[in-house]
Amino acid sequence: MRKRECVLVLFAMLFAGCSGDSARSGLTGYVEAEYIYISGLETGWITSSAVSEGDHVSAEQVLLSLDDERQAFDVAEATERATAAHAQWRDLQSGARPEELKRLDAQLAEAKTSLTLADLELRRLRDLRRKGAASEAVLDKAKAEYSAAKARLDSATASIGVAKLAAREEALIAAKAAAEAAEAVLAKAQWRFDQRSLVARNAGLVTAVYYRQGEQLPAGAPALAILPDNGLKIRFFIPQSRALEFAPGTAVSIHQDGAPQLISATVSYLAERVEFTPPVIYSVANREKLVFMVEARVPPNSRLHAGQPVDVSLL
């Protein structure tokens, strides 16, 4: 019995030594994926779908389209309102129309003719009055008619001057603001119309399609999922005693089963807090149970898959 106990102790010591070397040389982790979910801002029927699971898409590629009749009507209405607002602004800047100016010119010519006739009549009656052939009352009436004709001429001249001027500054400011507001409404309507085509913001692999052509996509619900080309990372845990070895920016090597070549990755995140903390005094034995979570970003086209176990070691 004593010989057997010695053999068991020897095997335990060898196992502990191997385990310690393994912990220093390599760590076990797994592949984590950061998916992008494509959804619509408003509900709508899917009229066309351009991708399927397994397709690789490029940035700004159209993925699917939603019905856009209502949005097209909004764009048309906003366009007409913007056109009307700009026309109103230009009209206030240009003054009266040519037809109105022609009418005012005719009134001015008429006022000049009336003043000329009133002046001639006044001169004639003054001569007759000096000769005693006209009464003072008749002369006073001629003076009044001359004054009225001159006032009409002054009024017609002023009306033409005002008609050729633009509107008041306050009116122009209000018209300009209305035109700019109409342009903003048009831009908003056009933006909503453009959102009926869902596009990829990043290049990547289509991993899931949740809604297809002919189905109604609820507002905010993901229509499909994309794994970006740079969307994979390695997540692994390190003993607290090795935290200083895996600072962000540290290069590590990744080995996957069946692959002869190693993959280089870069540590992008080191957790701020330890995990699996035992609720007892930190003895030497308990400190060995403390671990930090570490994440390392892998380059595109690494041929790794989400959930796949890998081995991690320092370069």
Side-chain angles (χ1 to χ4, degrees):
M1 287 296 292
R2 187 172 183 80
K3 182 178 180 180
R4 181 181 178 185
E5 290 176 357
C6 293
V7 172
L8 291 176
V9 170
L10 179 61
F11 271 111
M13 293 175 63
L14 290 174
F15 178 78
C18 293
S19 298
D21 293 339
S22 176
R24 297 297 300 175
S25 61
L27 300 161
T28 300
Y30 60 94
V31 181
E32 181 81 5
E34 294 180 339
Y35 298 99
I36 293 178
Y37 298 93
I38 308 299
S39 60
L41 298 179
E42 298 177 315
T43 184
W45 294 97
I46 300 177
T47 58
S48 64
S49 180
V51 295
S52 301
E53 288 94 341
D55 290 346
H56 188 274
V57 297
S58 57
E60 302 303 323
Q61 177 178 337
V62 176
L63 304 175
L64 58 89
S65 299
L66 304 175
D67 61 295
D68 55 10
E69 289 84 357
R70 180 168 62 88
Q71 288 74 20
F73 293 148
D74 292 340
V75 170
E77 180 183 2
T79 300
E80 295 298 329
R81 292 185 181 276
T83 301
H86 278 284
Q88 179 70 18
W89 184 27
R90 289 193 300 270
D91 182 66
L92 292 176
Q93 289 176 303
S94 61
R97 295 175 296 177
E99 292 78 8
E100 294 177 341
L101 291 176
K102 288 181 180 179
R103 178 176 60 82
L104 293 175
D105 287 338
Q107 292 178 356
L108 177 62
E110 181 182 358
K112 289 181 178 179
T113 301
S114 298
L115 180 61
T116 300
L117 293 177
D119 183 58
L120 292 174
E121 180 66 13
L122 179 58
R123 291 174 184 274
R124 187 181 68 83
L125 289 176
R126 280 176 177 170
D127 291 340
L128 293 177
R129 177 58 182 163
R130 283 195 296 267
K131 296 176 182 179
S135 64
E136 189 67 28
V138 173
L139 180 60
D140 291 340
K141 181 180 179 181
K143 290 179 181 180
E145 290 178 353
Y146 175 83
S147 298
K150 189 175 183 306
R152 287 194 295 271
L153 177 61
D154 294 340
S155 177
T157 303
S159 297
I160 291 179
V162 171
K164 291 181 178 180
L165 293 175
R168 292 178 301 173
E169 183 178 359
E170 291 78 5
L172 288 174
I173 293 175
K176 181 181 179 182
E180 292 175 348
E183 284 292 338
V185 173
L186 173 59
K188 180 180 179 181
Q190 184 64 53
W191 180 82
R192 290 181 60 194
F193 177 82
D194 295 339
Q195 298 307 305
R196 304 306 283 178
S197 294
L198 305 187
V199 300
R201 302 299 181 183
N202 305 84
L205 181 70
V206 178
T207 59
V209 176
Y210 305 114
Y211 291 87
R212 305 181 185 276
Q213 183 175 352
E215 296 181 316
Q216 188 175 36
L217 178 64
L224 47 88
I226 294 178
L227 176 61
D229 291 340
N230 60 347
L232 291 180
K233 60 184 179 183
I234 306 300
R235 179 172 291 177
F236 58 99
F237 294 85
I238 60 174
Q240 58 88 22
S241 59
R242 302 186 63 186
L244 297 179
E245 301 178 35
F246 293 88
T250 302
V252 297
S253 61
I254 309 299
H255 176 263
Q256 57 177 319
D257 295 341
Q261 295 181 345
L262 298 178
I263 300 173
S264 297
T266 303
V267 174
S268 59
Y269 174 74
L270 175 64
E272 293 293 327
R273 297 175 61 89
V274 293
E275 301 184 23
F276 308 120
T277 304
V280 294
I281 299 299
Y282 290 145
S283 65
V284 175
N286 285 330
R287 284 205 301 270
E288 293 298 326
K289 299 179 181 179
L290 301 179
V291 295
F292 283 95
M293 185 189 72
V294 182
E295 293 181 351
R297 188 69 60 176
V298 297
N301 303 320
S302 59
R303 296 187 178 182
L304 295 173
H305 302 278
Q308 180 179 5
V310 293
D311 295 323
V312 184
S313 60
L314 289 172
L315 289 177

